[in-house]
Amino acid sequence: AAYDGISAKLTESAGFDFGFMSGFSVAGARLGLPDTGLVSYGEMVEQGRQMIEATSTMPLIGDGDTGHGNAMNVIRTVQGYAHAGFSGILIEDQVWPKSCGHVRGKQVIPRDEAIARIQAACDARKGNQDIVIVARTDAKQAVSFEEALERAQAFADQGADVVFIDALETVAEMRTFCARVAGAHKMANMLEGGGKTPILKPQELEEMGFKLVAYPLSLLGVSIRAMQDALVALKRGDIPNTVPEFSE
């Protein structure tokens, strides 16, 4: 999960097949604030365009949050991301303003409105908009696991390419999600450092039936720690010993 030009460039040079623009990380890096719906549609598109320009060919999936409004806003958001060069976009069913999927107090819009939101995202591709739709539900925490499964299947039925239930809490739930929901690829979210979902390796997730996985905090997290360590060193008069050569 990249969040700016240099992190996207490094993701591509490391050999990853695609990257994901994390809204959580963009909020942290761009504003120094938590993921509570503070980054606007325009800011996310701008950030993504800079990341795409910093890379050569790596596809990038963008975090589209709730689509920034009603169904008409969702259509604009999807088309705007496609025009910016994104290869995919994630749309979720939280109320606005949203928050990180692993904190308490989740709220989601009614199921029929959520389905309409994903239908609008899929409809936005009609014509020449070639973009993958990743449909996320936060109903696991907000309502129930069964409701999350029902929504994920409904999203797949509407034409979403990938479905994603955030904050699954056990391996059994993860296996049930992959087994129960048909018609779309499955995405997993490994929130490092204390999220609700068990942290598994890509190979383990693939065996369960997942096709995509995001590790959303790794790049931002190690960057924060590296900057903290560098600042401590600089304040005591030392040069950080992990700085690359100027030529690099």
Side-chain angles (χ1 to χ4, degrees):
Y3 51 88
D4 62 5
I6 189 64
S7 59
K9 193 178 189 76
L10 290 170
T11 300
E12 182 178 52
S13 65
F16 283 88
D17 295 325
F18 65 95
F20 177 69
M21 182 181 76
S22 160
F24 185 105
S25 295
V26 169
R30 189 180 176 104
L31 303 178
L33 292 170
D35 183 23
T36 54
L38 298 172
V39 184
S40 70
Y41 159 78
E43 289 173 313
M44 289 293 283
V45 170
E46 177 191 4
Q47 193 85 356
R49 186 178 289 113
Q50 292 172 349
M51 294 168 67
I52 291 162
E53 290 175 355
T55 60
S56 299
T57 60
M58 182 183 72
L60 189 68
I61 297 174
D63 190 346
D65 291 320
T66 64
H68 298 276
N70 61 20
M72 294 302 295
N73 295 96
V74 171
I75 292 172
R76 178 180 183 239
T77 297
V78 172
Q79 292 179 343
Y81 274 48
H83 288 147
F86 283 98
S87 297
I89 182 171
L90 183 150
I91 300 292
E92 64 188 67
D93 62 357
Q94 282 196 59
V95 299
W96 188 263
K98 55 150 289 178
S99 64
C100 171
H102 288 248
V103 300
R104 291 189 297 271
K106 296 288 91 196
Q107 290 185 314
V108 293
I109 59 177
R111 190 195 298 184
D112 58 344
E113 292 182 27
I115 293 171
R117 188 179 280 178
I118 300 306
Q119 182 181 18
C122 295
D123 287 346
R125 295 186 296 186
K126 293 178 180 177
N128 59 357
Q129 305 302 324
D130 183 16
I131 188 167
V132 167
I133 303 297
V134 182
R136 162 180 160 174
T137 178
D138 285 76
K140 165 66 174 64
Q141 280 203 80
V143 185
S144 68
F145 181 41
E146 189 62 33
E147 176 66 16
L149 290 171
E150 294 286 345
R151 290 186 182 219
Q153 185 61 64
F155 296 165
D157 293 342
Q158 288 299 321
D161 304 288
V162 181
V163 290
F164 165 32
I165 298 177
D166 202 15
L168 294 173
E169 297 185 58
T170 66
V171 169
E173 288 182 345
M174 297 167 76
R175 291 188 184 279
T176 299
F177 168 43
C178 290
R180 283 270 303 272
V181 178
H185 296 298
K186 318 302 187 304
M187 176 176 171
N189 186 33
M190 303 284 97
L191 185 63
E192 315 90 323
K196 292 182 177 296
T197 305
I199 303 296
L200 303 174
K201 295 179 179 179
Q203 296 86 345
E204 295 173 295
L205 293 165
E206 187 174 23
E207 289 171 1
M208 287 184 188
F210 288 98
K211 189 69 172 177
L212 290 78
V213 56
Y215 295 87
L217 298 188
S218 288
L219 293 188
L220 181 64
V222 298
S223 299
I224 289 171
R225 183 66 72 230
M227 285 189 280
Q228 288 174 328
D229 292 344
L231 290 165
V232 169
L234 288 167
K235 193 167 185 193
R236 67 171 180 254
D238 298 329
I239 300 299
N241 59 15
T242 56
V243 177
E245 291 295 323
F246 177 68
S247 59
E248 182 183 350

